[in-house]
Amino acid sequence: MRRKNIGKRYACLGVMAAIAVVLGGCGGGGERIQSAMQMIGELNYEGALEQLSLAEENGENVRLIHRARGIAYMGLTDYEQAAACFEEALAGSNGLVQNVDFDLNFYLAAAYTKSERYGEAEDIYDAILSLRSGNEDAYFLRGNVRLAQGNYEGAKQDFDKVVAMDAKNYDRLIEIYQVLDYYSHGEAGREYLQAALEAGDKNMDKYASGRIYYYLGEYQSAYLALEEARESGGVESYLYLGKSYEATGDYNYAASVYNSYLEKYEGNAEIYNQLGLCEMAKGEYRNALDAFQAGMQLQNVTMMQTLSFNEIVAYEYLGDYRQAGILMENYLKNYPDDAQARREYEFLSSR
């Protein structure tokens, strides 16, 4: 059986999720459109598309129909079709730039990015910034696609602009680090984090400093800070606390952190996933499988792809290649653009 580092299996998705910004403020439309958007929120993309066909028959708002279709196709990982829908929605503009036009442009840029049409995505962010020069998200996202094209200097200019706009936005600082690290500029990303710590902001709480220490690789400082923030930071505090102990190799204590959250609060997909990864690291594959499947049973799970893949890996480690193969076949129907999974399916087919 081949070893797989499933803990980092979807590291890039966290970065790319930041690129696919979902903006609010574009509600409305007819009854069918609203129903479709609710289905999208429930990850029922096929059902949403059916509702949108009915919305079209009922003469509901055409631009919002195209917009919703694009979002549904994004959920189905059909990024080319999604881009076509967003383009069609933009083509229906009356010439006056409205909030919905900015929203559509962000979605279109996300679809281009997912299709690796980085130059076209950058052009869209350029256009957004020409009209809204203070849009922090556009600078950050343009930095992402510039990095994807190998333009480190241009990306750093954008990230510097973002930090200058709000140096105390620690969530965004961490996102900048993550994307720089993904594109092999981790040292530059750590400079942003180190600068934030050295600034000595008295308003930086233990949750923020703990996460920064985690990404700087100072895991003891991270878990000491996060132990203090365990209750105040919600689920993320537990996640980072557990991950800090994982990074030191203490999987038993990390698992106890995740279990303590599950004992006190409602189930959380990320917690279940990390618990499963801990159990995998301990060689407790049945416990890992139980954790992944428990996460999959929750409603409106946004990381179903990760959990589904990890479920398959757990079955492999348990030696149940038949079940792993069946699940992988279904997985590829839902996520056909996952090249690594397709290679894994070839391996399973040979068992």
Side-chain angles (χ1 to χ4, degrees):
M1 181 186 304
R2 294 180 296 172
R3 302 287 297 183
K4 292 168 284 296
N5 188 349
I6 61 174
K8 296 185 179 179
R9 172 69 177 78
Y10 286 104
C12 66
L13 290 184
V15 175
M16 299 307 287
I19 295 175
V21 168
V22 178
L23 301 180
C26 292
E31 180 181 347
R32 296 291 186 181
I33 294 176
Q34 292 183 22
S35 176
M37 293 306 296
Q38 182 177 341
M39 288 180 174
I40 288 171
E42 297 168 353
L43 311 183
N44 181 6
Y45 305 117
E46 296 287 358
L49 290 172
E50 292 176 7
Q51 285 295 307
L52 292 167
S53 294
L54 294 173
E56 195 166 30
E57 292 175 9
N58 291 345
E60 296 183 22
N61 188 298
V62 175
R63 295 191 80 197
L64 294 183
I65 290 172
H66 290 314
R67 173 184 180 272
R69 276 186 177 143
I71 298 171
Y73 281 120
M74 289 284 284
L76 292 169
T77 70
D78 188 343
Y79 304 119
E80 292 293 343
Q81 187 63 47
C85 290
F86 296 136
E87 289 167 347
E88 197 160 357
L90 283 165
S93 172
N94 62 7
L96 298 176
V97 179
Q98 301 173 320
N99 285 336
V100 67
D101 295 295
F102 285 98
D103 175 88
L104 285 165
N105 272 290
F106 272 109
Y107 274 119
L108 179 57
Y112 284 158
T113 301
K114 286 290 194 176
S115 300
E116 300 184 359
R117 296 161 65 178
Y118 302 120
E120 291 169 90
E122 183 176 357
D123 289 342
I124 290 178
Y125 294 129
D126 288 344
I128 291 171
L129 288 167
S130 70
L131 294 173
R132 292 186 176 178
S133 60
N135 192 298
E136 182 183 327
D137 287 330
Y139 281 112
F140 171 67
L141 296 170
R142 188 174 69 177
N144 277 258
V145 295
R146 282 179 168 179
L147 274 180
Q149 297 173 90
N151 182 5
Y152 167 73
E153 293 299 330
K156 192 171 187 310
Q157 288 176 9
D158 281 342
F159 295 150
D160 286 345
K161 182 79 171 179
V162 170
V163 174
M165 289 172 137
D166 188 359
K168 296 178 183 179
N169 185 343
Y170 304 119
D171 290 336
R172 183 48 55 89
L173 278 174
I174 288 170
E175 288 174 340
I176 289 173
Y177 162 76
Q178 288 176 311
V179 71
L180 283 166
D181 185 58
Y182 178 71
Y183 286 106
S184 302
H185 296 287
E187 188 56 42
R190 282 186 285 274
E191 289 176 6
Y192 286 108
L193 300 180
Q194 194 66 52
L197 285 177
E198 293 173 357
D201 177 19
K202 64 181 180 181
N203 294 319
M204 181 186 289
D205 60 21
K206 293 296 184 180
Y207 171 57
S209 64
R211 287 185 300 156
I212 290 175
Y213 280 126
Y214 171 79
Y215 285 110
L216 287 172
E218 300 179 26
Y219 302 119
Q220 184 175 11
S221 296
Y223 65 65
L224 289 173
L226 290 163
E227 284 283 8
E228 293 187 46
R230 184 192 287 225
E231 298 305 327
S232 60
V235 65
E236 291 293 321
S237 289
Y238 282 83
L239 281 167
Y240 278 99
L241 178 59
K243 288 179 181 179
S244 296
Y245 281 109
E246 284 184 63
T248 67
D250 193 345
Y251 297 106
N252 285 317
Y253 194 82
S256 74
V257 169
Y258 302 135
N259 278 315
S260 68
Y261 177 89
L262 294 170
E263 290 169 2
K264 293 180 181 180
Y265 305 103
E266 293 182 6
N268 177 277
E270 285 187 85
I271 291 285
Y272 276 121
N273 187 60
Q274 286 303 129
L275 176 59
L277 294 177
C278 276
E279 297 295 346
M280 291 286 286
K282 292 159 54 182
E284 301 290 344
Y285 305 125
R286 175 57 61 180
N287 291 343
L289 179 63
D290 290 343
F292 297 138
Q293 291 180 336
M296 294 168 68
Q297 294 303 311
L298 300 175
Q299 293 186 348
N300 301 332
V301 177
T302 58
M303 56 182 305
M304 185 64 76
Q305 182 175 2
T306 301
L307 287 164
S308 298
F309 185 88
N310 289 347
E311 177 193 29
I312 294 167
V313 175
Y315 272 115
E316 285 190 60
Y317 276 104
L318 287 167
D320 192 342
Y321 298 109
R322 180 177 178 278
Q323 181 64 16
I326 292 171
L327 292 174
M328 182 62 82
E329 185 174 355
N330 185 62
Y331 174 94
L332 287 170
K333 290 178 182 177
N334 294 324
Y335 312 106
D337 61 340
D338 191 333
Q340 181 178 342
R342 192 161 295 283
R343 290 193 296 272
E344 194 66 26
Y345 182 59
E346 293 173 2
F347 164 74
L348 288 169
S349 299
S350 68
R351 300 299 297 181

